[in-house]
Amino acid sequence: MSDLFDVESSVIRSEEPLTDVFAPTRLLHREGQRDYLASCMKPVVVGRMPRNVFLFGPTGVGKTSLVLWMFDELLSYTDNVRTCYVNCWKSGSTHAVLSKIVSDLRIFSNPRRQTKELLEDIEGSLKKSGKKLIVALDEVDRLESYDVLYDLCRSGCGVVCISNDEHALANVDVRIKSSLSLEWLEFKEYSADEMYDILSDRANLAFAPGAISETVLRIAAVQAGGDARVGLEILRKAALFSDDAGVSVIGKEQVIRAHKDAVSVKVRQIVESLGEYQRMLFLIVEKARTVKSSELWSAFSEKTGGKVSERSYRNYMDKLVTLKLVQASGDVRWREYSTIL
């Protein structure tokens, strides 16, 4: 009988722990953020309003994972609260955000109802149930209008905002900021040692015993660059390369090869989520590899027909640097941009 489909020799026992859909039972090296976020949500246990909070930090540092984990913990502890997670890249308009909440709360409502009516539906449901609602708005800077933050606060909802950009809410109207009274919670990149602990924990769940050594795991941890998503994708790709080669142990060669693929996947995912002008700027830099800011501004202005101000251009480029899609060198006058890969 052919052994073409033999899976017994695979280094992978379960691929799920290496993916975004996996829900870990514990979050390593985020104890401080966990405790602070819990203190913000704790008032709902006794029927009070939670404290609104803004989570910020680079990609792959556990922001979304912690919020979803905390929601699960909170719901298992008390019946006094309901939760809703909204990805603002997918649901960016006020109507889309409110429709997602209505759907998650299982409120029977006509999808054609106006924004004001959706708010009334949410308020009515919460009043009838006597429960508090906490809404997590991931990629909050992708909202078409920040007025929805005011609407949610006015309707008695708690709000958790999540962004890669510390300055995502810098231009929010004073009236909205006053209503939110946000607490700030920073997530920094994982150190190489912290990343090793995370990857080791997931490797124990995903791989056959002895499939990867401590030395190779530490190489993967360093190459992840503080981003857990990249680290997990490195392990997943390296394991697949090992299976393709018919070897029972993941080696340094597979990890190094997997690194470039993992970073490339991450970059493409982020680029797909960019707005029109940010994506346009990235593609110009990607094509040139390295470009002076003055030349980039000239090419960008030509493509947009001069519709975008130079100030907005600088803000867009600052965002691309924050997202680690491009790197900047030199001072403002002589600045150059180049691609990371």
Side-chain angles (χ1 to χ4, degrees):
M1 181 181 293
S2 170
D3 60 356
L4 284 172
F5 304 107
D6 175 36
V7 295
E8 292 301 318
S9 60
S10 173
V11 300
I12 302 173
R13 288 293 175 263
S14 174
E15 200 168 337
E16 187 177 347
L18 306 177
T19 66
D20 284 344
V21 300
F22 181 72
T25 56
R26 59 176 183 158
L27 294 170
L28 299 177
H29 302 296
R30 284 295 177 251
E31 292 80 7
Q33 289 88 346
R34 177 201 64 196
D35 292 347
Y36 192 89
L37 186 58
S39 71
C40 290
M41 295 184 180
K42 190 181 296 184
V44 300
V45 175
V46 290
R48 291 165 35 217
M49 284 297 299
R51 286 146 47 199
N52 299 324
V53 59
F54 173 43
L55 280 59
F56 65 93
T59 59
V61 293
K63 302 183 299 295
T64 301
S65 295
L66 178 59
V67 170
L68 295 178
W69 181 87
M70 191 65 71
F71 276 178
D72 286 342
E73 290 292 303
L74 187 61
L75 292 172
S76 68
Y77 188 85
T78 179
D79 292 328
N80 290 344
V81 66
R82 304 189 74 176
T83 62
C84 177
Y85 170 82
V86 182
N87 187 313
C88 300
W89 176 50
K90 298 177 180 178
S91 303
S93 69
T94 296
H95 191 275
V97 170
L98 298 179
S99 294
K100 176 65 163 60
I101 296 172
V102 165
S103 175
D104 282 9
L105 295 183
R106 297 182 180 178
I107 301 171
F108 180 76
S109 178
N110 189 325
R112 295 183 179 179
R113 285 170 72 79
Q114 299 298 310
T115 296
K116 182 179 178 181
E117 294 172 316
L118 291 174
L119 275 170
E120 291 172 351
D121 289 341
I122 294 169
E123 291 170 357
S125 176
L126 295 177
K127 185 176 181 180
K128 183 178 180 180
S129 68
K131 297 183 179 183
K132 299 297 182 184
L133 172 64
I134 302 178
V135 180
L137 297 167
D138 206 348
E139 300 188 67
V140 67
D141 45 315
R142 298 307 305 270
L143 285 173
E144 293 178 7
S145 169
Y146 289 120
D147 286 346
V148 69
L149 300 176
Y150 180 78
D151 292 335
L152 291 173
C153 289
R154 189 185 62 182
S155 299
C157 303
V159 176
V160 178
C161 298
I162 308 171
S163 177
N164 300 326
D165 186 359
E166 178 182 358
H167 307 291
L169 302 176
N171 296 321
V172 171
D173 186 89
V174 174
R175 168 183 60 100
I176 300 174
K177 285 183 178 179
S178 177
S179 297
L180 285 171
S181 297
L182 284 170
E183 310 267 343
W184 284 42
L185 183 56
E186 182 178 10
F187 287 65
K188 294 183 178 180
E189 290 181 343
Y190 293 109
S191 69
D193 286 339
E194 290 172 338
M195 185 63 66
Y196 168 78
D197 290 341
I198 293 168
L199 297 186
S200 179
D201 188 58
R202 297 294 185 91
N204 287 333
L205 298 172
F207 298 150
I212 188 167
S213 68
E214 177 182 341
T215 300
V216 174
L217 269 174
R218 289 199 177 278
I219 293 172
V222 171
Q223 290 195 324
D227 187 326
R229 290 178 184 169
V230 171
L232 293 172
E233 183 64 10
I234 288 173
L235 292 189
R236 192 183 73 84
K237 285 282 189 179
L240 294 175
F241 292 152
S242 297
D243 279 354
D244 290 344
V247 296
S248 59
V249 175
I250 300 170
K252 176 182 176 181
E253 298 78 11
Q254 284 85 25
V255 166
I256 292 174
R257 180 184 169 194
H259 172 249
K260 187 172 183 179
D261 280 8
V263 173
S264 180
V265 168
K266 175 191 173 183
V267 167
R268 289 302 154 197
Q269 288 175 340
I270 297 175
V271 169
E272 287 175 6
S273 72
L274 294 175
E276 176 187 1
Y277 292 138
Q278 289 175 328
R279 188 183 303 114
M280 187 183 297
L281 283 165
F282 172 78
L283 293 175
I284 295 172
V285 177
E286 184 181 48
K287 184 177 181 180
R289 303 298 294 175
T290 299
V291 60
K292 294 179 180 178
S293 181
S294 58
E295 295 172 354
L296 177 59
W297 164 243
S298 178
F300 177 64
S301 295
E302 184 177 345
K303 283 182 174 291
T304 60
K307 295 178 181 178
V308 181
S309 69
E310 191 168 358
R311 180 179 179 181
S312 294
Y313 155 74
R314 289 195 297 269
N315 289 337
Y316 290 147
M317 291 310 301
D318 287 344
K319 178 71 172 180
L320 294 181
V321 172
T322 298
L323 291 172
K324 295 186 177 180
L325 292 176
V326 302
Q327 55 190 3
S329 59
D331 59 26
V332 175
R333 186 176 180 183
W334 307 107
R335 180 157 294 177
E336 286 188 343
Y337 294 102
S338 56
T339 52
I340 299 293
L341 290 178

